[in-house]
Amino acid sequence: MLRLAFLAVAPLLCSAARVSTHYDGHKKVDEDPFGDMLPPMSSNPMVLSSDQAAARGQPVPSVHGVPQTPAVVREEERILASESLVDEQVEVNQEERMEVECVGMEHLREVTDYQAEQKEAEQEIKNIRSFVPTEAEHQCLKLSLRNKKIPGRLFSDRVAFANCPPFPERLGEIVIESVHHTENIDKKQHVVLELVGCTSCENDRTKDVEWGGLLAIDETGNYRKMYRKPLDATWPTDNFGKGHFRMGDRVPIVEKPAHGRPGIYPRTWSTEQVRDADQKWVKMYKYKYSSFNFDESILSEVATMASEATGNASTVDGAFVHAHEREELKILKELRAQEKRIPFNHKLEQMHMHIYVCDESGSGLVCPEKPAETLLVHDAALAFDSSKTSTFDELGKHSGVCTYGPCMLQRGLKVGKENQLMSWTMCTACDNRACGAHSRADPPRREDVPPAHDAGEFNCLVERLYTSSGYKDLFLNKPGTGGREGSGFLFRGAEAKGHVTGHINWHLSVPRAGHCEPFLQDVAYVGIGVDECDKCRGGEVDVDIGMVLLSCPDGNTKGLGGAIPSQCRYVDHQNFNHKSRRDFYAISEDDRSGEGEGDDEWAFMNLAELRKTGVSHVLIVANIYG
């Protein structure tokens, strides 16, 4: 399996424009009194669940004395959704200010430390009555090391070389604001979330599993604050070669299958099986969130406001929010005080959200050894289209295609109008044998379909339920496509049913498929890196960067850049076998090993000079050989 990382020095898109694009299809006033800044509640998972329970005649639960009727639940979700959108704007504005200060003014690198928030979460679980809010800590740090150089001839004021742009610390942050569940609050039970992310994920072929998907990255592309124990060194060394006497509180993140169990599937994985020279030690790779503070204080305020709105035959619209501005601001402040931020990087393949239902005991919470449920989020659901996934509830509605099927019998599933063959995301019909290259799964099967032929698509979200005999994976589908529909961070199999409210704070812009990205700089740099998680049979893979320069007349269309492809004229191209010595565009030398972190190859373009020569479009390509 290959992981390609592209980095362009394009500016962040305006967050308000992203949210506006996100809700272009929901501008009907009767659906959304907030206009295009708030999604309609008709697709909210908690609202749907409440409506279905009422239709079945189930008893109405209460939260802090407020009956959770469908009308009240709808207004509660509107309050939380509106707070989430405001919070996202605040987060993005803070992020942009830090970028201007660190990068624009001081020419440093903006980094964020999440340890204080996680210490708060751990302390809250131990002592739920002593909640002390903290914030993620932002810093401006100098750049210590670069591993690639750009020839000075490409710059008018340099004679030797220039450093490549530093690798981004993260693609974005998962911002968890609340876990809204209603069934067991009065039983003094609360939800604890534990999030981990794999970069080389568990399957039958991989040589190891690496849990580094939720780690920050330093400027070289390595995990930040990571230590190694080289064979030829007495002390552990950091990413910059500096030796250290102690590991501190660092923990291992690489696992290998246990020895002495050939032919046993699924494998068992352990960090103890990894020799020191192959292990990576980091300060933190698991992130936690406790719902206690939200359950005990914030939810009661939300329920009271929602009950007032429904009691007055009103709804939580713009007028209601304006009339309750003080209460709204108080809730927003409390949500921001207890929310948790979790970074994710370009290597993330799967994020696992473990859901524990914990009991109050003494001054703390007691959680079971195993989670009640796990939500698996494949990267295609998280990063497929950033302009349509600003809030959690939209995840899975616009994701890429994920497939499941019998990996040992077929190569993949043909999807779309063009019958494009998509390789399996998760494997079925494995039994107790090797299943192939991808994660094994046990989907619910139709009685009329033999297990060996059961295959299909899903929206890249999986609910994993734990039973006495193992786990069972429930594949979710996009709304309106049939099957088990589901989107967002919703958990239904656990005893405390509910869903997670929050948003994705993107640190980089991920352009939508078939769309252009606004670009305001005079020069552009594109880096490509290869992380080979699972070795390919028969050898290695070489990935080469290239570019094609075109001159296209303005077609005044909505396509890529407003151009008409059939009228474009070829100007030049660059690849490993054809490199011109022009002073305003170039690609790097061929890197066939892919060793090390960060960018292996790069492309550089002086856009202002290219425009003078008539070049209007540049295609960046990746040529794969193996």
Side-chain angles (χ1 to χ4, degrees):
M1 184 180 298
L2 296 176
R3 167 69 56 183
L4 306 181
F6 296 92
L7 167 65
V9 289
L12 281 169
L13 284 173
C14 172
S15 58
R18 182 171 70 246
V19 175
S20 179
T21 302
H22 170 62
Y23 299 122
D24 275 345
H26 306 306
K27 293 186 177 181
K28 295 181 181 179
V29 176
D30 60 336
E31 287 185 348
D32 183 12
F34 280 101
D36 64 359
M37 294 298 288
L38 190 64
M41 290 299 104
S42 58
S43 61
N44 182 281
M46 291 296 286
V47 173
L48 290 175
S49 177
S50 178
D51 291 342
Q52 292 168 359
R56 292 191 293 265
Q58 296 180 357
V60 177
S62 295
V63 172
H64 300 290
V66 178
Q68 295 294 289
T69 65
V72 171
V73 171
R74 181 182 299 271
E75 301 312 315
E76 288 174 351
E77 290 301 310
R78 289 185 66 79
I79 293 172
L80 293 174
S82 62
E83 297 283 6
S84 179
L85 285 169
V86 173
D87 189 27
E88 187 212 11
Q89 298 298 307
V90 175
E91 295 276 350
V92 171
N93 290 338
Q94 288 181 339
E95 183 69 38
E96 290 175 347
R97 284 199 298 270
M98 285 300 301
E99 285 289 325
V100 170
E101 177 185 346
C102 294
V103 181
M105 299 177 64
E106 300 185 27
H107 304 291
L108 299 174
R109 186 171 188 261
E110 185 261 326
V111 298
T112 305
D113 195 328
Y114 302 89
Q115 284 184 275
E117 281 193 344
Q118 285 305 300
K119 287 181 179 178
E120 170 198 314
E122 294 284 355
Q123 181 60 34
E124 183 183 356
I125 294 172
K126 294 178 181 177
N127 190 343
I128 55 180
R129 305 297 174 184
S130 61
F131 173 69
V132 180
T134 58
E135 290 276 349
E137 300 175 6
H138 300 279
Q139 299 176 339
C140 299
L141 299 181
K142 67 178 182 179
L143 297 168
S144 302
L145 180 68
R146 309 287 182 85
N147 59 355
K148 299 289 181 182
K149 307 294 182 183
I150 301 177
R153 64 181 174 81
L154 297 172
F155 299 88
S156 59
D157 57 346
R158 292 185 180 272
V159 295
F161 62 86
N163 287 314
C164 294
F167 219 77
E169 184 196 32
R170 59 197 183 278
L171 282 186
E173 294 174 326
I174 301 292
V175 184
I176 298 178
E177 296 162 350
S178 64
V179 177
H180 191 185
H181 62 111
T182 60
E183 295 196 358
N184 291 334
I185 294 177
D186 293 335
K187 298 179 182 179
K188 299 301 181 182
Q189 289 185 326
H190 307 279
V191 171
V192 171
L193 305 178
E194 181 182 76
L195 285 80
V196 293
C198 57
T199 55
S200 175
C201 300
E202 177 182 350
N203 58 62
D204 296 329
R205 183 177 295 173
T206 188
K207 295 182 178 179
D208 55 53
V209 172
E210 187 172 294
W211 297 98
L214 304 184
L215 289 168
I217 303 295
D218 67 19
E219 61 262 39
T220 68
N222 283 287
Y223 299 134
R224 193 163 168 254
K225 297 184 178 180
M226 182 187 75
Y227 284 1
R228 302 290 295 267
K229 285 185 178 180
L231 290 173
D232 57 350
T234 305
W235 313 114
T237 58
D238 59 23
N239 298 338
F240 306 107
K242 182 180 179 181
H244 297 266
F245 182 68
R246 293 184 178 89
M247 283 286 191
D249 56 354
R250 285 168 173 79
V251 292
I253 63 171
V254 181
E255 296 181 337
K256 286 185 178 295
H259 296 299
R261 292 170 57 87
I264 303 298
Y265 297 93
R267 298 175 176 178
T268 57
W269 302 80
S270 170
T271 58
E272 285 75 17
Q273 303 294 332
V274 183
R275 63 174 187 165
D276 284 353
D278 296 330
Q279 186 58 267
K280 301 175 182 179
W281 283 269
V282 300
K283 294 185 72 67
M284 179 176 59
Y285 74 98
K286 294 181 179 179
Y287 294 80
K288 292 186 177 181
Y289 172 89
S290 167
S291 73
F292 175 80
N293 192 62
F294 175 80
D295 293 340
E296 292 297 306
S297 59
I298 301 175
L299 183 55
S300 62
E301 299 171 7
V302 173
T304 300
M305 286 184 63
S307 178
E308 180 181 343
T310 56
N312 295 329
S314 178
T315 184
V316 182
D317 55 10
F320 183 90
V321 171
H322 181 72
H324 296 76
E325 181 177 351
R326 179 176 298 178
E327 294 93 331
E328 287 274 359
L329 290 176
K330 183 175 184 294
I331 293 173
L332 176 62
K333 182 178 179 181
E334 292 174 339
L335 283 171
R336 286 186 55 78
Q338 55 91 56
E339 71 183 8
K340 298 295 180 287
R341 301 163 185 83
I342 297 100
F344 61 92
N345 57 51
H346 66 285
K347 295 185 178 184
L348 177 67
E349 290 185 8
Q350 296 175 19
M351 184 179 72
H352 295 195
M353 179 184 289
H354 302 304
I355 299 157
Y356 296 85
V357 181
C358 306
D359 296 289
E360 290 187 28
S361 177
S363 60
L365 296 176
V366 176
C367 300
E369 183 177 343
K370 293 184 179 180
E373 182 178 347
T374 296
L375 182 67
L376 273 65
V377 183
H378 290 267
D379 55 0
L382 187 65
F384 178 76
D385 190 340
S386 69
S387 69
K388 293 184 179 178
T389 53
S390 58
T391 57
F392 290 168
D393 284 348
E394 302 304 303
L395 288 175
K397 291 183 180 180
H398 314 278
S399 63
V401 176
C402 288
T403 62
Y404 66 89
C407 297
M408 300 302 291
L409 302 177
Q410 303 171 17
R411 293 179 56 192
L413 182 70
K414 292 183 178 180
V415 300
K417 297 180 180 179
E418 300 179 356
N419 284 329
Q420 180 183 1
L421 184 66
M422 299 287 296
S423 58
W424 303 119
T425 307
M426 300 185 76
C427 294
T428 60
C430 301
D431 299 321
N432 292 321
R433 59 195 179 100
C435 197
H438 300 281
S439 304
R440 56 179 57 236
D442 183 22
R445 301 187 177 97
R446 302 201 325 254
E447 295 181 359
D448 59 336
V449 178
H453 298 282
D454 188 39
E457 301 178 28
F458 66 104
N459 66 354
C460 306
L461 298 178
V462 181
E463 287 188 68
R464 176 167 290 176
L465 309 183
Y466 296 92
T467 66
S468 58
S469 58
Y471 63 78
K472 182 178 183 180
D473 286 336
L474 303 179
F475 295 94
L476 303 183
N477 298 100
K478 298 178 183 179
T481 58
R484 184 182 174 87
E485 297 183 359
S487 59
F489 288 169
L490 174 69
F491 53 96
R492 291 172 286 196
E495 187 179 358
K497 301 177 179 65
H499 89 296
V500 183
T501 303
H503 62 272
I504 301 174
N505 178 22
W506 287 94
H507 187 60
L508 296 176
S509 293
V510 181
R512 290 180 292 155
H515 289 71
C516 284
E517 187 78 0
F519 209 91
L520 304 180
Q521 287 87 352
D522 290 333
V523 299
Y525 167 92
V526 178
I528 178 173
V530 181
D531 295 314
E532 197 165 1
C533 301
D534 302 320
K535 298 297 181 182
C536 297
R537 292 176 177 175
E540 306 297 329
V541 172
D542 178 25
V543 181
D544 296 326
I545 198 169
M547 68 169 77
V548 180
L549 281 60
L550 302 174
S551 178
C552 305
D554 186 4
N556 194 27
T557 69
K558 293 183 179 181
L560 285 174
I564 301 177
S566 61
Q567 298 181 8
C568 293
R569 176 177 59 85
Y570 165 82
V571 177
D572 192 11
H573 74 278
Q574 298 273 287
N575 60 28
F576 72 96
N577 199 35
H578 179 271
K579 297 180 181 179
S580 62
R581 294 287 298 177
R582 306 301 294 270
D583 289 340
F584 47 90
Y585 62 93
I587 62 174
S588 62
E589 296 299 321
D590 187 16
D591 185 338
R592 299 189 177 185
S593 68
E595 295 296 329
E597 300 291 346
D599 297 333
D600 299 320
E601 299 186 14
W602 52 260
F604 178 88
M605 295 150 282
N606 186 320
L607 303 180
E609 293 298 322
L610 284 173
R611 190 66 179 175
K612 293 179 182 179
T613 64
V615 173
S616 61
H617 289 70
V618 179
L619 306 180
I620 305 298
V621 299
N623 301 302
I624 303 177
Y625 302 90

